Amino acid sequence: MGKVTGFLEFERLSEGYEEPAARKKHWKEFVVALKDDEAKIQGARCMDCGIPFCNNGCPVNNIIPDFNDLVFRQDWKTAFEVLSSTNNFPEFTGRICPAPCEAACTLNINSAAVGIKSIEHAIIDKAWAEGWVVPQPPKRKTGKKVAVIGAGPAGMAAAQQLARAGHDVTVFEKNDRVGGLLRYGIPDFKLEKSHIDRRVRQMEAEGVTFRTSTLVATDFPKTGINNFATTIVSPEAVMAEFDAVILSGGSEQPRDLPVPGRDLKGVHYAMEFLAPQNKVNAGDSFPDQIVATGKKVVVIGGGDTGSDCVGTSNRHGAASVTQFELMPRPPESENKSVTWPYWPIKMRTSSSHEEGCDRDWAVTTKSFKGNEFGCVTALVVARVEWVDGKMTEIPGSEWEVPADLVFLAMGFTNPVAPVLQAFGVEKDARGNARAVTEGSGAYRTSVEKVFAAGDMRRGQSLVVWAIREGRQCAREVDMFLMGASELPR
């Protein structure tokens, strides 16, 4: 603990933002990170609280009080070493994690939580600037080969851990670039893709092989989100070549809205809008890109994906953006005596909302209306009320909302089917790969030597949970191959 009375002396200082009018004109990140002296003061706010609930609030169990103290002492390199001992990619979580660690902060009971996420962001950015992030190739090779199917954060974390343990790791990715939903789900203004690219270079120097545009399945799917594969590899070939296989793809099957008019032109899944924009930002040509310029946009779904649609539409120059959420409007602030140290339900306004958006809650979409050309022109919506967890429509509450584009951003149900079907693994009730996380069979599927981690196993979740599961799965695979493991869990 750096300063005993720091939490009494200093106020929380959040990271700054470029002004909305300016940042809507580009696709770059716009967060103004803390300066060294500002991070020092924020580190001083960390309390000697005895039991640091933040450690368990963080899915990767970052050793938060220690790196807070080190930043207060301005020992940045050691702070980086502590941070990277539990998190392979702090530059991802320091930008896009919602920070459950801060919800669990002891100071958050009756004051503003320590700015843990901003400190993490400052540490890893300084580490890259100072050249401390370097490849860590293994001292010896094991002769074992591991296939990782899915190059999102879970697959990347598992691959890096296993390569550092001395295994030969090949990562198969159906998209044309590494990153999974980090690459083609999260807009560049939240996470510039150069952060992924430099991690790929580091991992290649550590011995990881990436095979992009490659789908491991029995056949190309008839439809798919974010599927830019040009090569198909059979699961039989993978099973024959590798000693262990990890399934680590993302949860990409979006929830549909089967109401009248769903097939009208202009009604799209969110990822049909977000993924092409990221490709265009990367310099690719995408002739069929959906563009919101000058259009009335309606986003259905109040979560992060919906927020990303709002921010992207604003950067296109949409005439208007409206976002509907089926659930009731949450309270402005949580009852901390009831929710702490758990993640609370409360009103959250993203940076994209601040750029311009009309939001409404407890609204259900009954149908879409279109014109003679088959294009959507309006939504028919209605108010709902929730009683004892059940939703009922309020009689006489219908109205129409004009729309030129509608994006369905209601979450994702399970991984796309071809990979799980190809390997014949047993699924749970939600369509994910069935595998537990504890005990001797942790992360193992019903098929011998096939493991599952991240969204592929747990369903739609956070990047930080994907990293955690990738790391833990890597340890289980290492133990399966070698009988013991020195990898951290």
Side-chain angles (χ1 to χ4, degrees):
M1 180 177 181
K3 187 172 178 58
V4 176
T5 58
F7 69 97
L8 296 172
E9 297 178 33
F10 306 119
E11 298 292 329
R12 175 184 170 106
L13 175 64
S14 300
E15 294 175 315
Y17 289 161
E18 183 181 359
E19 287 297 318
R23 68 187 190 231
K24 287 195 296 182
K25 297 178 181 178
H26 62 78
W27 296 93
K28 299 292 185 180
E29 293 175 12
F30 51 80
V31 173
V32 181
L34 298 182
K35 299 176 183 177
D36 287 7
D37 58 339
E38 294 172 335
K40 174 180 179 176
I41 291 174
Q42 293 307 296
R45 297 186 69 240
C46 187
M47 304 168 66
D48 186 10
C49 57
I51 299 176
F53 288 87
C54 56
N55 286 14
N56 288 328
C58 171
V60 294
N61 302 123
N62 278 336
I63 311 170
I64 294 165
D66 293 41
F67 70 60
N68 284 343
D69 176 62
L70 290 163
V71 168
F72 171 73
R73 300 178 188 279
Q74 297 289 277
D75 186 352
W76 288 93
K77 189 170 185 180
T78 307
F80 160 67
E81 292 169 355
V82 170
L83 175 58
S84 59
S85 70
T86 57
N87 188 349
N88 295 68
F89 314 117
E91 63 271 38
F92 301 164
T93 52
R95 285 169 166 80
I96 61 175
C97 182
C101 55
E102 294 186 13
C105 174
T106 302
L107 189 57
N108 189 46
I109 295 175
N110 61 356
S111 183
V114 174
I116 300 167
K117 179 179 174 180
S118 62
I119 294 172
E120 178 180 0
H121 186 181
I123 292 170
I124 188 59
D125 279 11
K126 178 172 281 292
W128 279 106
E130 296 293 333
W132 300 333
V133 186
V134 295
Q136 300 177 37
K139 295 179 181 178
R140 63 186 66 87
K141 302 289 283 185
T142 66
K144 301 291 186 179
K145 300 176 67 176
V146 181
V148 177
I149 301 174
M156 290 178 68
Q160 185 167 64
Q161 294 294 96
L162 288 166
R164 290 175 176 178
H167 305 303
D168 290 321
V169 182
T170 299
V171 181
F172 295 86
E173 170 55 47
K174 72 181 187 306
N175 293 328
D176 53 353
R177 295 180 178 88
V178 172
L181 290 172
L182 283 173
R183 172 76 67 175
Y184 287 129
I186 295 173
D188 288 18
F189 56 79
K190 290 174 64 174
L191 178 74
E192 292 180 17
K193 304 312 179 251
S194 58
H195 302 302
I196 304 173
D197 295 336
R198 62 186 179 185
R199 281 296 183 181
V200 170
R201 291 192 292 270
Q202 179 198 32
M203 292 172 66
E204 288 176 333
E206 294 171 344
V208 177
T209 299
F210 290 96
R211 292 181 60 179
T212 55
S213 299
T214 303
L215 178 68
V216 180
T218 56
D219 194 8
F220 286 109
K222 298 293 188 296
T223 60
I225 305 298
N226 288 12
N227 186 4
F228 305 117
T230 57
T231 302
I232 193 165
V233 175
S234 72
E236 291 79 12
V238 171
M239 294 288 278
E241 180 179 354
F242 294 92
D243 300 296
V245 178
I246 298 176
L247 307 181
S248 56
S251 184
E252 297 182 6
Q253 187 63 50
R255 285 190 177 89
D256 204 350
L257 187 60
V259 298
R262 168 62 180 90
D263 57 348
L264 288 169
K265 297 175 184 177
V267 182
H268 304 275
Y269 289 124
M271 299 307 298
E272 295 174 326
F273 180 51
L274 299 176
Q277 182 60 59
N278 285 6
K279 288 184 67 67
V280 170
N281 291 346
D284 294 349
S285 174
F286 208 99
D288 298 327
Q289 181 187 4
I290 302 165
V291 178
T293 307
K295 296 181 179 179
K296 296 182 286 291
V297 175
V298 175
V299 180
I300 301 176
D304 289 339
T305 303
S307 173
D308 294 342
C309 289
V310 171
T312 301
S313 296
N314 281 327
R315 279 159 182 75
H316 281 188
S320 65
V321 183
T322 302
Q323 184 177 28
F324 290 131
E325 167 58 48
L326 185 65
M327 299 302 292
R329 183 183 178 115
E332 290 297 321
S333 60
E334 73 271 33
N335 183 343
K336 293 182 180 181
S337 64
V338 174
T339 61
W340 182 89
Y342 301 107
W343 183 250
I345 296 175
K346 65 177 182 179
M347 182 67 176
R348 302 180 191 275
T349 300
S350 73
S351 59
S352 292
H353 295 139
E354 294 172 350
E355 294 165 1
C357 177
D358 293 323
R359 305 169 72 186
D360 205 347
W361 291 263
V363 175
T364 184
T365 301
K366 301 187 67 174
S367 65
F368 301 108
K369 286 190 170 184
N371 58 22
E372 65 272 24
F373 304 107
C375 300
V376 67
T377 58
L379 292 75
V380 178
V381 299
R383 297 281 177 196
V384 297
E385 60 180 354
W386 292 83
V387 178
D388 297 329
K390 295 182 179 179
M391 182 191 78
T392 56
E393 182 181 329
I394 298 175
S397 64
E398 283 190 15
W399 81 98
E400 287 191 15
V401 180
D404 302 310
L405 277 176
V406 178
F407 298 121
L408 307 181
M410 303 171 294
F412 303 86
T413 58
N414 52 267
V416 289
V419 173
L420 293 179
Q421 291 175 350
F423 282 91
V425 302
E426 184 179 340
K427 301 177 186 178
D428 64 18
R430 298 179 299 162
N432 304 313
R434 184 183 296 279
V436 298
T437 60
E438 303 292 339
S440 59
Y443 292 97
R444 296 191 188 188
T445 70
S446 58
V447 177
E448 177 65 19
K449 80 178 186 180
V450 177
F451 296 71
D455 285 8
M456 188 72 79
R457 190 204 67 83
R458 65 180 290 118
Q460 177 187 357
S461 191
L462 303 175
V463 168
V464 67
W465 273 106
I467 295 172
R468 171 196 171 106
E469 294 217 350
R471 288 171 61 89
Q472 290 188 347
C473 184
R475 176 180 169 83
E476 298 301 323
V477 170
D478 192 32
M479 292 182 66
F480 169 75
L481 295 174
M482 308 302 295
S485 179
E486 296 181 357
L487 290 174
R489 195 172 194 277

